[in-house]
């Protein structure tokens, strides 16, 4: 059994914790971001050719708005393009009728949109958080598309680790940390420093969805870093085979 620090926001942290427990691991939760949906956002989509959604959180925030606001319910019929399979699955489960996944990174999503949508078909609505990885809007604009970037939620960093996580890290009672985004990594470094645990974090193996996700940890001096072969949770979990387990 490995004791693993789970840093992703709720409600996804709970799902990850359940999956880890089913694999025989002991998750310790310390969400490094708190998601705050925006209720008063304006989404003009009369001329929209497609929605670009690059995270499950973006899907959930957009769907929640569309369910409670009559002026947005037609969003479910607009074609959706996602960066990865997990986001696509979440979009279908939320009720979006036409969903295609790039199964990759932002560059792959740009190529997918260019394959199915012409610049003259209408605007691409990129719905997401206030801070986003990559420059989807810029890449699409360079290809001649009209892009509207709309903030549907804020991801607020935690300033301290959870009490169980801080205690486990201080005691050397963690085997690894799972990190899902660059912003999560930045918040983890800052929270560990605020708790006086920067040295303990530097000695903790950290597993991330990509090298870019792990970059803030490398800059903070974390010595044992490993990136998943693909940017998804299954690939991240595959790295756990190399994490020592308690007996």
């Amino acid at each position: 059994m490995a004791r693993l620090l789970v840093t992703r926001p709720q409600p996804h942290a709970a799902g990850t914790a359940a999956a880890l427990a089913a694999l025989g691991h002991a998750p310790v939760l310390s969400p490094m971001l708190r998601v705050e949906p925006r209720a008063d956002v304006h989404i003009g989509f009369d001329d929209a050719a497609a929605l670009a959604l690059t995270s499950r959180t973006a899907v959930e925030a957009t769907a929640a708005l569309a369910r409670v606001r009559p002026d947005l319910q037609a969003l479910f019929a607009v074609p959706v393009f996602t960066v990865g399979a997990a986001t696509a699955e979440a979009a279908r489960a939320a009720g979006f009728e036409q969903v295609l996944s790039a199964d990759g990174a932002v560059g792959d999503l740009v190529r997918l949109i260019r394959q199915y949508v012409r610049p003259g078909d209408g605007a691409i609505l990129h719905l997401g958080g206030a801070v986003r990885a990559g420059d989807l809007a810029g890449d699409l604009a360079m290809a001649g598309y009209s892009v509207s970037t709309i903030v549907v939620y804020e991801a607020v960093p935690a300033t301290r680790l959870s009490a169980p996580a801080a205690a486990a890290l201080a005691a050397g009672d963690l085997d690894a940390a799972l990190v899902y985004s660059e912003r999560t990594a930045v918040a983890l470094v800052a929270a560990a420093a605020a708790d006086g645990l920067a040295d303990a974090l530097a000695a903790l193996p950290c597993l991330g969805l990509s090298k870019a996700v792990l970059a803030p940890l490398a800059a903070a001096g974390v010595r044992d870093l490993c990136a998943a072969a693909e940017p998804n949770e299954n690939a991240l979990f595959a790295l756990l085979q190399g994490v020592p387990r308690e007996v």
Side-chain angles (χ1 to χ4, degrees):
M1 177 185 72
R3 286 178 59 81
L4 303 169
L5 179 62
V6 178
T7 61
R8 69 188 314 194
Q10 293 287 20
H12 304 142
T16 294
L20 290 171
L23 293 172
H25 300 294
V28 179
L29 272 60
S30 187
M32 288 290 96
L33 298 173
R34 183 181 71 256
V35 176
E36 296 183 352
R38 286 189 173 181
D40 59 349
V41 63
H42 171 71
I43 304 177
F45 61 96
D46 289 344
D47 67 338
L51 310 181
L53 301 172
T54 53
S55 71
R56 289 174 60 187
T57 303
V59 168
E60 290 157 3
T62 302
L65 282 170
R67 290 190 193 101
V68 300
R69 285 177 46 181
D71 60 312
L72 297 180
Q73 289 176 2
L75 275 176
F76 288 113
V78 179
V80 170
F81 293 85
T82 74
V83 73
T87 304
E89 182 180 350
R92 295 185 188 101
F96 291 97
E97 298 169 10
Q98 305 174 64
V99 181
L100 287 174
S101 170
D103 295 335
V106 169
D108 301 297
L109 180 55
V110 171
R111 285 187 286 274
L112 182 67
I113 291 173
R114 294 184 69 179
Q115 180 180 349
Y116 286 92
V117 182
R118 296 172 300 180
D121 290 344
I124 307 296
L125 306 188
H126 183 197
L127 301 114
V131 179
R132 309 170 192 221
D135 187 15
L136 178 65
D139 291 345
L140 286 170
M142 288 183 64
Y145 291 85
S146 173
V147 184
S148 179
T149 300
I150 301 168
V151 177
V152 293
Y153 71 91
E154 300 273 358
V156 181
T159 57
R160 307 294 288 266
L161 295 169
S162 70
L169 183 58
D173 198 22
L174 292 171
D175 297 300
L178 304 184
V179 187
Y180 287 73
S181 72
E182 188 174 351
R183 289 199 70 205
T184 296
V186 170
L188 176 59
V189 168
D195 286 329
L197 295 170
D199 290 342
L201 178 63
L204 179 67
C206 292
L207 314 179
L209 283 186
S210 68
K211 290 181 180 179
V213 165
L214 294 171
L217 292 160
V222 178
R223 297 183 288 276
D224 190 350
L225 300 170
C226 191
E230 299 177 355
N232 60 64
E233 191 167 70
N234 287 337
L236 188 63
F237 281 9
L239 298 177
L240 296 175
Q241 297 176 13
V243 175
R245 294 171 177 245
E246 293 181 356
V247 178

